[in-house]
Amino acid sequence: MSAGKKVALISGANKGIGLETARQLGKQGITILLGARDLAKGQAAVEELKKDGVDARAVKLDVVNPADIKAAAQLVEKEFGKLDILVNNAGVMFEPIGGNTTTTVSEEQLRQTFETNFFASVSVTNALLPLLKKSDAARIVNVSSILGSLGLHAQEGSPIYEAKAFAYDASKAALNSYTIHLAHALKDTKIKVNSAHPGWVKTDMGTDAAPMEIVDGAKTEVQLATLGPDGPTGGYFHLGETISW
Ligand SMILES: NC(=O)c1ccc[n+]([C@@H]2O[C@H](COP(=O)([O-])OP(=O)(O)OC[C@H]3O[C@@H](n4cnc5c(N)ncnc54)[C@H](OP(=O)(O)O)[C@@H]3O)[C@@H](O)[C@H]2O)c1
């Protein structure tokens, strides 16, 4: 891995939108640290990326495991001394898509969803922030969902009005709040922080019913990870379009 190249860490990158984000960023010449909670799956994904000429290595990162987070930060510090891009992509959804789970989702599932989708993103970011501050212009992408939009959920007739997966939606709304607060905390730095809605994408989470292919589903993450100096911070986007909080 050569000096001077940008370095990106993507969580949950062994499959789905995270893996495709790794591929598209890697094809731009960015060194990829491919986060995976199962290192063997991460290594298999790295072998796949290498066929596309991507400079990648797998990092064991179960985002709800503090020891993994600490070790990943130490690895980045030791090997690169900085981090240019952090994509908080790892996510879970335990509820069915469609319908309203507000009174049926278990408290355990509510907590587990928040652990991965919200608390872990804060923990991973906090651990890596000192290294992001060493980059010339770091980018943090919190992979949210349009289902995290409080405004659209409250608006009768909106595209998501009938899709109320309570644990998932609330966890992504909390993640969006983190985006706004972190962007404000970092407003006097060159670091930009944004929330991404990938679209409804054909992955294990999105299911085959989704209209978007994975190659397009990664585009919003890639755009926000590679924003120029005039790009936005503290925003919520899908393919360059602003989403209502
Ligand atoms: N697909 C959609 O339509 C859609 C729409 C809006 C937003 N999103 C968001 O996009 C992101 C990626 O979703 P996807 O559709 O690509 O889903 P996916 O195919 O199910 O992939 C999810 C990834 O997250 C990883 N993960 C889950 N828990 C983890 C943990 N504790 N530590 C580390 N990795 C963990 C999974 O690892 P394992 O392989 O080990 O399970 C997997 O790599 C998620 O944040 C999701 O909420 C997806």
Side-chain angles (χ1 to χ4, degrees):
M1 301 198 184
S2 54
K5 283 175 70 175
K6 278 193 187 176
V7 184
L9 173 63
I10 304 153
S11 65
N14 53 284
K15 68 176 184 181
I17 299 167
L19 175 56
E20 181 58 24
T21 299
R23 188 188 328 272
Q24 292 181 20
L25 290 176
K27 283 184 171 177
Q28 294 189 29
I30 297 166
T31 295
I32 302 299
L33 300 176
L34 187 148
R37 58 179 160 180
D38 179 333
L39 192 56
K41 287 184 185 169
Q43 276 158 347
V46 161
E47 291 311 313
E48 203 185 302
L49 292 183
K50 282 187 175 161
K51 289 182 202 152
D52 288 327
V54 172
D55 178 13
R57 75 190 262 181
V59 176
K60 183 180 177 327
L61 181 57
D62 183 337
V63 295
V64 298
N65 182 337
D68 277 10
I69 295 174
K70 190 174 173 194
Q74 285 172 342
L75 182 142
V76 178
E77 161 96 76
K78 183 165 164 273
E79 300 285 330
F80 304 98
K82 61 148 189 179
L83 185 65
D84 300 290
I85 295 167
L86 172 63
V87 185
N88 287 312
N89 169 82
V92 292
M93 183 180 206
F94 300 117
E95 302 143 286
I97 299 174
N100 188 326
T101 62
T102 312
T103 61
T104 54
V105 69
S106 70
E107 188 175 326
E108 190 189 349
Q109 286 190 332
L110 186 59
R111 288 181 189 279
Q112 280 181 1
T113 305
F114 265 77
E115 284 296 340
T116 303
N117 295 0
F118 172 64
F119 289 109
S121 298
V122 178
S123 301
V124 169
T125 305
N126 279 339
L128 289 158
L129 204 48
L131 293 160
L132 290 159
K133 285 181 174 168
K134 290 186 180 164
S135 165
D136 292 339
R139 304 289 177 253
I140 299 169
V141 184
N142 290 326
V143 182
S144 178
S145 165
I146 196 170
L147 292 173
S149 168
L150 293 174
L152 293 175
H153 272 301
Q155 186 188 317
E156 198 171 344
S158 84
I160 62 164
Y161 188 68
E162 298 298 340
K164 287 190 165 41
F166 177 55
Y168 183 81
D169 300 354
S171 72
K172 295 294 190 181
L175 183 63
N176 284 345
S177 179
Y178 180 50
T179 295
I180 293 172
H181 284 71
L182 185 62
H184 181 270
L186 298 174
K187 67 181 165 47
D188 296 326
T189 74
K190 289 182 180 171
I191 305 177
K192 295 183 189 297
V193 189
N194 290 288
S195 277
H197 167 51
W200 184 15
V201 185
K202 280 187 182 59
T203 62
D204 287 349
M205 182 187 290
T207 77
D208 285 342
M212 274 178 88
E213 300 299 328
I214 293 183
V215 68
D216 296 317
K219 284 182 180 166
T220 302
E221 295 188 22
V222 171
Q223 281 175 0
L224 295 175
T226 54
L227 286 172
D230 296 332
T233 189
Y236 182 20
F237 298 100
H238 171 63
L239 293 175
E241 300 289 324
T242 296
I243 297 178
S244 150
W245 297 108

